[in-house]
Structure formats: C-alpha cells, structure tokens
Amino acid sequence: MDKPIFWLPAASTQGVVVDRLFFALLALSGAVLLLVLVLLVTFAVRYRHGSKAKRGALPRLARREFEIGWTAATFFLFLFVFWWAGSANLSEFQPPSDAMEIHVTAKQWMFKTQHPNGAREINALHMPVDTPIRLAMTSEDVIHSFWVPAFRFKRDILPGRLTQGWFRANRTGTFHLFCAEYCGTDHSLMGGAIVVMEKDAYARWLAEQPEGDDLGKQGEALFVQLGCAGCHAGRSAVHAPDLAGLYGREIPLSDGTKVLADERYIRDSILQPRREIAAGFEPIMPSFAGTVSESDLAKLVAYIRSLASPSLAPQRSAAP
Ligand code: CUA
C-alpha cells in the first residue's frame, strides 16, 4: 500500500477526469474568492470615512448593462460546469461493451469477488491494467459500498438489487478498497486490496488460481437442481418461455410494454416473476425470493446469459 500522502494520485482513467474537475472547481472558487476579497478591501479603503471618493448614483444605463452582463456571465459559466461535471459522471455508468466482468458479493463484513473463469477472492481483487473492468455487485444482507479512493470510484451495493460500475486502471500497484457505508460492528474493518497488474502478470496469476467452474457452468447445475429446467426446457409440457437467445432481446410484456432482457430483468423475473410477465404466457412461475442466495442468482443469470446465441447478442458499440 502507498504511504499516507497529502494527495493520493489517481490510478484510473475516471480518476484523472474527476481530479481535473476538482482542480478546475477549486481554481474557479479560488478566483471568485480572490475577486470578492480584493473588491472588499479596495472599496473599504476607497470609501472609508472622510475620503474624497465620488459617492453618487451610477448612470442608469451602465448600471443595467453591468447587471445583465455579470448575471449572464456567471449563468453560462455555471451551466458549463454543470455540463462538464454531468458528462464526466455519466460516463461512469456506461461500461464499454468489451469490459471484463467481475462479480462482487458483499456481506457483513467482507467483499467476495469472482473472475470470469470462476476464480474467487475474498477482500481482494486482482485485475489487469489498462483494461475496462465491469463490476456486477449485490449484497447478501445490508447496504455496503465499494470504494476505491485511488480510482475515485464509490458505488453502493444494495441487497436484492444488481448495482453496476466500471473502471479502467491506468497504472499498476496495490490500492485500498474500503466499505463506505456504515454496515454494522465491523464496518471499519471491511475492506481489502485492489491489485492492478500488468496484463501478462495477471494472466499468469489467474492461471495459478484454483479455477472452479465458471459462473455459467455453476448456473447450469443450479438450473437443473432448482427445477427450472422442468418448465423452461424446449419439450416441457408446461408453457414457459424458452430461455435460449433471451438475453439482450426486447421482450414484449403482457401489459403491452416492452422490456430489455438484461441482467436486471432476469434477476427480477426469478425473484418477482409476476411483475413483468412475457406476453402470451400465464403467470404461473413461483418466486424464488428467499430460496436462492445472491451468489446463486448471479450464477443463474450467468447461465441464462450464456444461452444467448451470438447473433442475438446486444449490439456492440464500435468505440470502446
Ligand atoms: Cu460493509 Cu460498511
């Protein structure tokens, strides 16, 4: 870990953007403060009691133009700041389509992470540098928050909901991971290390990990074990939607609306099957809320995703 220093250098592309914004706002606020102070002192001296300075009303025209001028200038300046901060923050919510996916499950009081090939870690995340990493996060109990100060990245993790976030580390090293939401007795101890490695070093590290089945494989086993296959298989007597090629498609619902079959939709369909019913089907599926844990849900979703045929996969954007 880095020694305590006055300014923690940014270690992600988003961190650089955040820092630039921070310093610009600091400079802007400093300039405004300086202007006000200078005017304050100047006027205090110039119009002090007994000075010979001119004291009378300003000419009417100059007063109005001056008023309009400074109001418009500050308005546009702050509109610009709003646009800048807004666009910088919104990009944090749109992971590149080629991002590597890491599953994060938070619980009192640890972060469990899982790599695409099934390798797991606790309170640690090894990752390659210069690679977009997408986090798919859920909590098994209360609200936690995934905070990596060096990445300027902080995102709450909520029970019963999938939270996403992404970052791209721009230098190697070991960085602090903290939980940033008070979550009980050992909240202050909940955290770990983010280890950013060169790409080949990461590949070597990953190869050394006990692999375990990848999420999709584990999900497939669960799918059979929980009886999902009984209804959702092609030849089943029960009329249930076929899940092959489902992921990434627009699904017409029985209420006439459409919904994108993304991770959120699949999760909710498992937990609250009666909320968004696919058009043409009876609401007969039982809820699995309380039956499947958060980590099992992630596996099921991964399995259903893996059933999407390539031609139906979501459109990839050209730019990373
Ligand atoms: Cu988890 Cu605080």
Side-chain angles (χ1 to χ4, degrees), residues 106-111 142-145 179-184 186-188 190:
K107 57 179 270 195
Q108 288 167 323
W109 288 277
M110 63 174 77
F111 291 105
V142 298
I143 302 178
H144 301 273
S145 190
C179 176
E181 179 66 48
Y182 182 64
C183 57
D186 282 344
H187 157 72
S188 61
M190 183 168 169

Side-chain angles (χ1 to χ4, degrees), residues 175-206:
F175 306 100
H176 281 292
L177 162 66
F178 294 111
C179 176
E181 179 66 48
Y182 182 64
C183 57
T185 314
D186 282 344
H187 157 72
S188 61
L189 302 177
M190 183 168 169
I194 306 283
V195 184
V196 180
M197 313 165 91
E198 295 295 346
K199 286 176 186 172
D200 48 348
Y202 170 75
R204 253 178 284 130
W205 173 87
L206 197 62

Side-chain angles (χ1 to χ4, degrees), residues 134-146:
R134 184 163 82 90
L135 301 179
M137 307 189 284
T138 50
S139 166
E140 285 183 10
D141 35 50
V142 298
I143 302 178
H144 301 273
S145 190
F146 194 98

